[in-house]
PDB file of all heavy atoms in Angstrom:
ATOM      1  N   ASP A 143      76.576 108.589 146.277  1.00  0.00           N
ATOM      2  CA  ASP A 143      76.460 110.016 146.574  1.00  0.00           C
ATOM      3  C   ASP A 143      75.105 110.516 146.090  1.00  0.00           C
ATOM      4  O   ASP A 143      74.403 109.838 145.333  1.00  0.00           O
ATOM      5  CB  ASP A 143      77.557 110.805 145.860  1.00  0.00           C
ATOM      6  CG  ASP A 143      78.954 110.337 146.246  1.00  0.00           C
ATOM      7  OD1 ASP A 143      79.080 109.614 147.247  1.00  0.00           O
ATOM      8  OD2 ASP A 143      79.899 110.702 145.525  1.00  0.00           O
ATOM      9  N   ARG A 144      74.737 111.731 146.528  1.00  0.00           N
ATOM     10  CA  ARG A 144      73.525 112.330 145.988  1.00  0.00           C
ATOM     11  C   ARG A 144      73.646 113.847 146.034  1.00  0.00           C
ATOM     12  O   ARG A 144      74.398 114.426 146.826  1.00  0.00           O
ATOM     13  CB  ARG A 144      72.289 111.883 146.758  1.00  0.00           C
ATOM     14  CG  ARG A 144      72.158 112.485 148.144  1.00  0.00           C
ATOM     15  CD  ARG A 144      70.822 112.136 148.764  1.00  0.00           C
ATOM     16  NE  ARG A 144      70.600 112.843 150.019  1.00  0.00           N
ATOM     17  CZ  ARG A 144      69.510 112.717 150.752  1.00  0.00           C
ATOM     18  NH1 ARG A 144      68.541 111.908 150.364  1.00  0.00           N
ATOM     19  NH2 ARG A 144      69.373 113.398 151.875  1.00  0.00           N
ATOM     20  N   VAL A 145      72.883 114.505 145.169  1.00  0.00           N
ATOM     21  CA  VAL A 145      72.839 115.961 145.127  1.00  0.00           C
ATOM     22  C   VAL A 145      72.046 116.458 146.339  1.00  0.00           C
ATOM     23  O   VAL A 145      70.964 115.935 146.646  1.00  0.00           O
ATOM     24  CB  VAL A 145      72.184 116.443 143.823  1.00  0.00           C
ATOM     25  CG1 VAL A 145      72.005 117.955 143.832  1.00  0.00           C
ATOM     26  CG2 VAL A 145      73.007 116.013 142.613  1.00  0.00           C
ATOM     27  N   VAL A 146      72.577 117.465 147.026  1.00  0.00           N
ATOM     28  CA  VAL A 146      71.864 118.041 148.171  1.00  0.00           C
ATOM     29  C   VAL A 146      71.476 119.498 147.925  1.00  0.00           C
ATOM     30  O   VAL A 146      70.587 120.027 148.588  1.00  0.00           O
ATOM     31  CB  VAL A 146      72.683 117.928 149.476  1.00  0.00           C
ATOM     32  CG1 VAL A 146      72.803 116.480 149.905  1.00  0.00           C
ATOM     33  CG2 VAL A 146      74.070 118.550 149.316  1.00  0.00           C
ATOM     34  N   THR A 147      72.137 120.154 146.979  1.00  0.00           N
ATOM     35  CA  THR A 147      71.762 121.516 146.589  1.00  0.00           C
ATOM     36  C   THR A 147      71.856 121.616 145.073  1.00  0.00           C
ATOM     37  O   THR A 147      72.903 121.302 144.493  1.00  0.00           O
ATOM     38  CB  THR A 147      72.700 122.564 147.218  1.00  0.00           C
ATOM     39  OG1 THR A 147      72.701 122.412 148.633  1.00  0.00           O
ATOM     40  CG2 THR A 147      72.222 123.974 146.856  1.00  0.00           C
ATOM     41  N   ILE A 148      70.776 122.027 144.450  1.00  0.00           N
ATOM     42  CA  ILE A 148      70.815 122.152 142.990  1.00  0.00           C
ATOM     43  C   ILE A 148      71.292 123.542 142.596  1.00  0.00           C
ATOM     44  O   ILE A 148      71.142 124.504 143.355  1.00  0.00           O
ATOM     45  CB  ILE A 148      69.441 121.840 142.367  1.00  0.00           C
ATOM     46  CG1 ILE A 148      68.358 122.766 142.937  1.00  0.00           C
ATOM     47  CG2 ILE A 148      69.073 120.393 142.593  1.00  0.00           C
ATOM     48  CD1 ILE A 148      66.986 122.551 142.294  1.00  0.00           C
ATOM     49  N   PRO A 149      71.875 123.681 141.403  1.00  0.00           N
ATOM     50  CA  PRO A 149      72.414 124.979 140.972  1.00  0.00           C
ATOM     51  C   PRO A 149      71.303 126.003 140.748  1.00  0.00           C
ATOM     52  O   PRO A 149      70.137 125.633 140.537  1.00  0.00           O
ATOM     53  CB  PRO A 149      73.132 124.640 139.663  1.00  0.00           C
ATOM     54  CG  PRO A 149      73.348 123.162 139.695  1.00  0.00           C
ATOM     55  CD  PRO A 149      72.189 122.606 140.444  1.00  0.00           C
ATOM     56  N   PRO A 150      71.638 127.264 140.758  1.00  0.00           N
ATOM     57  CA  PRO A 150      70.670 128.320 140.455  1.00  0.00           C
ATOM     58  C   PRO A 150      70.037 128.083 139.086  1.00  0.00           C
ATOM     59  O   PRO A 150      70.711 127.709 138.129  1.00  0.00           O
ATOM     60  CB  PRO A 150      71.510 129.599 140.465  1.00  0.00           C
ATOM     61  CG  PRO A 150      72.688 129.264 141.326  1.00  0.00           C
ATOM     62  CD  PRO A 150      72.967 127.816 141.089  1.00  0.00           C
ATOM     63  N   GLY A 151      68.736 128.312 139.012  1.00  0.00           N
ATOM     64  CA  GLY A 151      68.026 128.153 137.748  1.00  0.00           C
ATOM     65  C   GLY A 151      67.375 126.798 137.571  1.00  0.00           C
ATOM     66  O   GLY A 151      66.519 126.623 136.704  1.00  0.00           O
ATOM     67  N   PHE A 152      67.781 125.804 138.380  1.00  0.00           N
ATOM     68  CA  PHE A 152      67.208 124.468 138.267  1.00  0.00           C
ATOM     69  C   PHE A 152      65.957 124.338 139.129  1.00  0.00           C
ATOM     70  O   PHE A 152      65.825 124.994 140.179  1.00  0.00           O
ATOM     71  CB  PHE A 152      68.230 123.408 138.688  1.00  0.00           C
ATOM     72  CG  PHE A 152      69.213 123.066 137.607  1.00  0.00           C
ATOM     73  CD1 PHE A 152      70.319 123.883 137.369  1.00  0.00           C
ATOM     74  CD2 PHE A 152      69.043 121.939 136.819  1.00  0.00           C
ATOM     75  CE1 PHE A 152      71.231 123.582 136.376  1.00  0.00           C
ATOM     76  CE2 PHE A 152      69.947 121.630 135.826  1.00  0.00           C
ATOM     77  CZ  PHE A 152      71.047 122.446 135.600  1.00  0.00           C
ATOM     78  N   GLU A 153      65.049 123.470 138.687  1.00  0.00           N
ATOM     79  CA  GLU A 153      63.844 123.158 139.436  1.00  0.00           C
ATOM     80  C   GLU A 153      63.706 121.654 139.596  1.00  0.00           C
ATOM     81  O   GLU A 153      64.215 120.883 138.778  1.00  0.00           O
ATOM     82  CB  GLU A 153      62.611 123.709 138.719  1.00  0.00           C
ATOM     83  CG  GLU A 153      62.572 125.224 138.636  1.00  0.00           C
ATOM     84  CD  GLU A 153      61.322 125.721 137.948  1.00  0.00           C
ATOM     85  OE1 GLU A 153      61.084 125.311 136.799  1.00  0.00           O
ATOM     86  OE2 GLU A 153      60.577 126.495 138.572  1.00  0.00           O
ATOM     87  N   ILE A 154      63.003 121.247 140.648  1.00  0.00           N
ATOM     88  CA  ILE A 154      62.776 119.822 140.890  1.00  0.00           C
ATOM     89  C   ILE A 154      61.644 119.331 139.988  1.00  0.00           C
ATOM     90  O   ILE A 154      60.552 119.898 139.991  1.00  0.00           O
ATOM     91  CB  ILE A 154      62.415 119.568 142.361  1.00  0.00           C
ATOM     92  CG1 ILE A 154      63.563 119.998 143.278  1.00  0.00           C
ATOM     93  CG2 ILE A 154      62.090 118.089 142.573  1.00  0.00           C
ATOM     94  CD1 ILE A 154      63.194 119.962 144.754  1.00  0.00           C
ATOM     95  N   VAL A 155      61.921 118.275 139.231  1.00  0.00           N
ATOM     96  CA  VAL A 155      60.903 117.658 138.377  1.00  0.00           C
ATOM     97  C   VAL A 155      60.303 116.434 139.064  1.00  0.00           C
ATOM     98  O   VAL A 155      59.103 116.196 138.985  1.00  0.00           O
ATOM     99  CB  VAL A 155      61.493 117.271 137.007  1.00  0.00           C
ATOM    100  CG1 VAL A 155      60.459 116.531 136.152  1.00  0.00           C
ATOM    101  CG2 VAL A 155      62.003 118.504 136.278  1.00  0.00           C
ATOM    102  N   ALA A 156      61.150 115.647 139.756  1.00  0.00           N
ATOM    103  CA  ALA A 156      60.665 114.439 140.414  1.00  0.00           C
ATOM    104  C   ALA A 156      61.556 114.104 141.595  1.00  0.00           C
ATOM    105  O   ALA A 156      62.736 114.489 141.637  1.00  0.00           O
ATOM    106  CB  ALA A 156      60.627 113.273 139.427  1.00  0.00           C
ATOM    107  N   THR A 157      60.980 113.382 142.557  1.00  0.00           N
ATOM    108  CA  THR A 157      61.710 112.974 143.761  1.00  0.00           C
ATOM    109  C   THR A 157      61.531 111.486 143.997  1.00  0.00           C
ATOM    110  O   THR A 157      60.615 110.852 143.454  1.00  0.00           O
ATOM    111  CB  THR A 157      61.182 113.727 145.003  1.00  0.00           C
ATOM    112  OG1 THR A 157      59.804 113.379 145.205  1.00  0.00           O
ATOM    113  CG2 THR A 157      61.303 115.231 144.826  1.00  0.00           C
ATOM    114  N   SER A 158      62.419 110.908 144.811  1.00  0.00           N
ATOM    115  CA  SER A 158      62.266 109.532 145.285  1.00  0.00           C
ATOM    116  C   SER A 158      62.634 109.534 146.765  1.00  0.00           C
ATOM    117  O   SER A 158      63.253 110.487 147.254  1.00  0.00           O
ATOM    118  CB  SER A 158      63.165 108.574 144.493  1.00  0.00           C
ATOM    119  OG  SER A 158      64.521 108.714 144.881  1.00  0.00           O
ATOM    120  N   PRO A 159      62.295 108.477 147.505  1.00  0.00           N
ATOM    121  CA  PRO A 159      62.585 108.460 148.947  1.00  0.00           C
ATOM    122  C   PRO A 159      64.055 108.688 149.278  1.00  0.00           C
ATOM    123  O   PRO A 159      64.376 109.314 150.289  1.00  0.00           O
ATOM    124  CB  PRO A 159      62.131 107.058 149.369  1.00  0.00           C
ATOM    125  CG  PRO A 159      61.041 106.725 148.411  1.00  0.00           C
ATOM    126  CD  PRO A 159      61.469 107.315 147.105  1.00  0.00           C
TER     127      PRO A 159
END
Side-chain angles (χ1 to χ4, degrees):
D143 302 345
R144 72 172 187 180
V145 174
V146 292
T147 304
I148 58 177
F152 279 81
E153 295 181 303
I154 298 172
V155 176
T157 62
S158 75

